[in-house]
Amino acid sequence: MEKFVQLVVDGLSTGSVYAALALAIVLVHSATGLINFAQGGMAVLAAYFAWWLTNQGLPLIVAILLSIVFSFVLGAAVERWLMRRFERGDPDTAIVVTVGLLTLITGIAGWLWSYNNQQFESLFPLDTVSFLGVSVSVRSIGTTLVIVAAMILLQLLFVRTKLGLALRAVAINPQSAAFSGLPVGRLLMVGWGLAAVLGAVAGALVAPRLTLTPGMLDNALVYALAAVILGGLTSPFGVVIAAWLIGVLENLAAVYVPFIGFDLKVAVPFILIFVVLLVRPQGLFGRKTVVRV
Amino acid sequence: MASSSKTSGPAASASTSSAPSSSALSFKQRPWVRWGAPLLLLVGLAVLPLVMTESTNDTLARIGVFAVAVLGLNVVMGYTGQVSLGQIFFLGLGAYVTAYGVSQEWNIVLVFALTCLIPAVAGLVVALAAARLGGLAIAMVTVALPIVGVPLAKRLSDYTGGSQGLSARFVEAPEGSGLYDDQWQLYIVLVVGGIVFLLTSLLVRGKYGRAFAIVKGNENVASSMGISPYRYKVLAFTIASLIGGVSGFLYMVVVQYTSPETMSFGHSIELLVAMVIGGAGSIVGSILGGAFYVVVPDITNAIDPSLTALLQGALLLAVLFVLPGGLVSLPRAVMRGLRRSTAGRGSAAPPTTPSPTAGSGSATENPETERQGHV
């Protein structure tokens, strides 16, 4: 039982990382209608930036905060100078652009800091605490809490502020938003920046466990995409639930299903997807979209 | 065919091509050029392996292998407009099936049939689920194929040799032919790859190709015309997987070794980069893509291996910005640029899409360049 609870808590923490990336993907998709395959890559670049700052002698928390600012600028710049051109065009071309961006970012990180694994300091101590009679790691709880807090902040921004209202307006109908005087271009940049920030938070929290490599979040990207498919592109809430579900299920499957084990647990979300797609193609919580010719 | 075209050729070629009905045929449309050029290319390709050095033959053979893989990707992505990030998985699967079959000493024809069949069935199963969602879902699901495939290959070590991989030497030049192994391998790649290219170019220009193009253009229009986008997406993906399997067979012919690393995520992305840079939706572009896939890492590895990904990403973005049609559209873009600059100085002729009459020497007509490609 104790093992089971530990697995669930650890699963929730990795699930939170997937959830943050998945939310970033949903955020970008709702604003610009495309899937950003470079979302994980951008987060890795932010993590490298933080790691480089700590090597310059800055304390970890300052380095992470600076990397968050960096990734906001990075996300906005990518939207303005790279994606803007492809946003109104063919979504498949836009996907290829983001794949190119992923390759480029991986290449830059590998070229600047080599492809070797780098140790990234953890924000949380490696202790365990007693929780409901079982010991669970502080890092897992901390990761989950930080990401949940980030998601709540983001939700408040969207629901309670004028900026959030404008962002939602642009996401729902960019043309009408432009007609009512909103600076659509700048708001899209903000949307991409916020998505990059979410990714950066996830990257900084998961880097100590995975160790820093240019391809660190490739697997996490796959999980995040799985969560996006399962939860439905239109439902941020569903995506988070799906990400947690994936995180917990893959952990349980790795231990309790002998054939899967730790190396094959990446297949778990896709077995889930196959089942869900055959039963509910719009995702667990998504709405069916109807397109007019 | 070539002899009868002496008299009936001009009329036939004028009616089949999109040339204007004027009696003055351009250089490329003369019958002896239409039949002679492919023949010349065929003879050239037949002689080529005999005169090249061993390392050139090896490079050419690898280009052929990955040209076939890129061609498969082009069927699903370039022609049908469904982004697939998993094509390398089918190459790896085909390579494993070949290696396993050879190690069990099965008949090579049976092995080849299986390397077509097993990846095609795998692709069919994946597509049946993935194509149920909108277009982006195929990209989102197929990205998982290499990422699941690598640990799966390591796990099934009874069949795949685990991380060690499998090697299979089964292609040796027949005795008495006087050929070296590298020449024989290149011939196999040329023949099998040539047949795949021929069949694929027939496919994409025929009824199915038009259906693919409509699905790519607008799915709602397609379904209103009675063309099921779902069915054709699944079909395109299955064919792409089958071609991927064949490229895996050729991979084993040339490289003779496969490991889980063959189908890594990085390679899968490189294949997509190669396809876009070569030219999406183009037969010649697939060959250029195969060349890009093989040659660029060879060059960058000689300079600095850590630069490869950086360069590939930068090149892909540059191509998407300035040359969305890929390298295959370069001659046309150059011609258009030249014409625009001359037109700018002279009369104000608007830049139009190139017509066959524009210049006899310009290698801009797509069907013509494609015709040479699959010989």
Side-chain angles (χ1 to χ4, degrees):
Chain A
M1 185 60 204
E2 177 163 349
K3 193 176 179 187
F4 181 82
V5 175
Q6 278 173 0
L7 285 173
V8 170
V9 174
D10 287 347
L12 282 177
S13 107
T14 44
S16 308
V17 172
Y18 308 151
L21 264 188
L23 264 188
I25 289 169
V26 167
L27 198 62
V28 163
H29 181 267
S30 68
T32 44
L34 54 89
I35 303 287
N36 184 9
F37 278 83
Q39 202 74 60
M42 285 157 72
V44 170
L45 201 61
Y48 264 107
F49 185 71
W51 172 78
W52 179 76
L53 286 176
T54 55
N55 280 4
Q56 306 300 310
L58 281 176
L60 181 66
I61 184 74
V62 179
I64 290 179
L65 289 176
L66 280 176
S67 82
I68 284 173
V69 175
F70 163 79
S71 57
F72 184 85
V73 176
L74 177 73
V78 162
E79 197 282 328
R80 177 65 191 84
W81 306 113
L82 187 66
M83 299 315 299
R84 181 75 53 89
R85 231 184 119 119
F86 300 98
E87 268 159 16
R88 300 277 161 262
D90 178 22
D92 293 332
T93 313
I95 282 192
V96 176
V97 176
T98 66
V99 170
L101 182 64
L102 172 64
T103 315
L104 183 66
I105 288 177
T106 307
I108 290 173
W111 177 58
L112 285 179
W113 295 294
S114 91
Y115 287 88
N116 301 328
N117 296 35
Q118 313 284 1
Q119 289 301 325
F120 192 96
E121 230 179 300
S122 177
L123 261 183
F124 304 105
L126 286 172
D127 310 339
T128 53
V129 288
S130 213
F131 181 75
L132 296 178
V134 276
S135 56
V136 289
S137 86
V138 174
R139 191 160 79 182
S140 292
I141 298 176
T143 304
T144 313
L145 290 181
V146 169
I147 289 180
V148 168
M151 292 190 299
I152 291 174
L153 278 180
L154 198 71
Q155 184 65 22
L156 286 178
L157 173 80
F158 270 96
V159 178
R160 291 291 168 83
T161 64
K162 268 207 124 144
L163 176 68
L165 186 66
L167 284 168
R168 279 187 291 152
V170 170
I172 291 169
N173 191 333
Q175 237 176 347
S176 304
F179 284 151
S180 56
L182 291 175
V184 172
R186 224 167 299 158
L187 286 168
L188 287 179
M189 286 167 73
V190 171
W192 274 74
L194 288 175
V197 165
L198 257 183
V201 172
L205 288 172
V206 81
R209 192 156 46 83
L210 297 177
T211 73
L212 202 52
T213 56
M216 175 179 82
L217 290 180
D218 286 352
N219 273 24
L221 176 80
V222 171
Y223 286 114
L225 290 172
V228 168
I229 296 174
L230 275 180
L233 265 172
T234 47
S235 163
F237 175 72
V239 163
V240 174
I241 299 291
W244 278 335
L245 191 71
I246 289 172
V248 172
L249 274 184
E250 66 152 355
N251 253 4
L252 294 178
V255 172
Y256 293 116
V257 184
F259 176 76
I260 291 176
F262 280 97
D263 46 341
L264 264 188
K265 65 181 187 178
V266 71
V268 169
F270 291 92
I271 300 167
L272 255 178
I273 284 184
F274 265 64
V275 176
V276 171
L277 276 187
L278 293 176
V279 183
R280 237 184 108 79
Q282 66 269 42
L284 286 177
F285 304 93
R287 282 190 306 273
K288 250 192 170 139
T289 49
V290 180
V291 185
R292 283 200 207 102
V293 181
Chain B
M1 280 283 251
S3 62
S4 73
S5 71
K6 196 170 277 179
T7 50
S8 66
S13 66
S15 63
T16 51
S17 75
S18 60
S21 56
S22 66
S23 59
L25 286 167
S26 71
F27 174 75
K28 285 193 309 167
Q29 285 157 333
R30 288 188 194 149
W32 57 270
V33 177
R34 282 182 69 90
W35 293 107
L39 205 68
L40 205 68
L41 196 71
L42 200 64
V43 172
L45 285 177
V47 175
L48 196 70
L50 301 176
V51 294
M52 292 295 179
T53 62
E54 192 180 335
S55 70
T56 314
N57 275 349
D58 181 58
T59 305
L60 286 175
R62 280 190 296 138
I63 287 176
V65 169
F66 288 103
V68 172
V70 171
L71 179 75
L73 186 57
N74 240 328
V75 169
V76 70
M77 219 176 129
Y79 290 102
T80 319
Q82 308 303 312
V83 177
S84 166
L85 290 165
Q87 180 70 5
I88 202 82
F89 173 79
F90 299 104
L91 186 152
L93 187 57
Y96 272 122
V97 171
T98 309
Y100 184 75
V102 167
S103 72
Q104 301 294 308
E105 297 182 351
W106 292 342
N107 186 323
I108 196 68
V109 177
L110 174 69
V111 171
F112 182 76
L114 286 177
T115 52
C116 296
L117 187 68
I118 293 177
V121 170
L124 178 70
V125 171
V126 171
L128 279 176
R132 286 184 70 116
L133 273 175
L136 301 177
I138 292 190
M140 287 166 22
V141 171
T142 52
V143 72
L145 284 176
I147 286 186
V148 176
V150 171
L152 192 66
K154 285 181 182 160
R155 168 59 61 89
L156 300 171
S157 53
D158 292 349
Y159 303 98
T160 62
S163 307
Q164 305 289 316
L166 284 177
S167 60
R169 290 186 60 82
F170 62 106
V171 183
E172 276 157 11
E175 306 232 349
S177 64
L179 292 170
Y180 293 104
D181 282 355
D182 61 294
Q183 294 169 337
W184 183 243
Q185 287 166 9
L186 183 51
Y187 275 126
I188 292 178
V189 171
L190 284 175
V191 170
V192 175
I195 292 170
V196 173
F197 267 85
L198 185 66
L199 292 177
T200 307
S201 70
L202 291 177
L203 176 89
V204 297
R205 272 187 241 168
K207 187 179 110 186
Y208 290 102
R210 285 195 294 278
F212 290 160
I214 295 169
V215 171
K216 180 186 183 180
N218 188 329
E219 287 182 21
N220 299 309
V221 170
S223 40
S224 73
M225 290 170 72
I227 291 168
S228 157
Y230 178 67
R231 197 171 301 164
Y232 278 93
K233 280 190 224 170
V234 171
L235 181 70
F237 197 86
T238 307
I239 292 170
S241 314
L242 189 153
I243 297 175
V246 174
S247 74
F249 178 83
L250 295 177
Y251 182 87
M252 282 313 282
V253 167
V254 176
V255 182
Q256 303 179 335
Y257 168 76
T258 183
S259 70
E261 197 49 34
T262 307
M263 48 170 147
S264 72
F265 181 59
H267 288 314
S268 199
I269 286 190
E270 282 167 30
L271 211 56
L272 179 115
V273 172
M275 191 213 77
V276 175
I277 288 182
S282 158
I283 298 286
V284 181
S286 305
I287 298 173
L288 294 177
F292 178 89
Y293 185 94
V294 171
V295 173
V296 167
D298 280 3
I299 296 173
T300 53
N301 281 345
I303 306 166
D304 182 359
S306 66
L307 270 177
T308 309
L310 178 63
L311 196 72
Q312 281 171 328
L315 277 175
L316 175 62
L317 292 181
V319 163
L320 285 168
F321 262 93
V322 299
L323 200 68
L327 285 179
V328 76
S329 68
L330 188 62
R332 196 185 310 186
V334 168
M335 287 307 293
R336 198 182 302 157
L338 285 178
R339 213 173 304 133
R340 198 172 296 169
S341 63
T342 50
R345 265 177 287 143
S347 65
T352 53
T353 48
S355 66
T357 50
S360 59
S362 67
T364 57
E365 261 288 74
N366 229 355
E368 292 300 322
T369 43
E370 282 180 3
R371 201 170 287 278
Q372 293 163 4
H374 59 65
V375 173

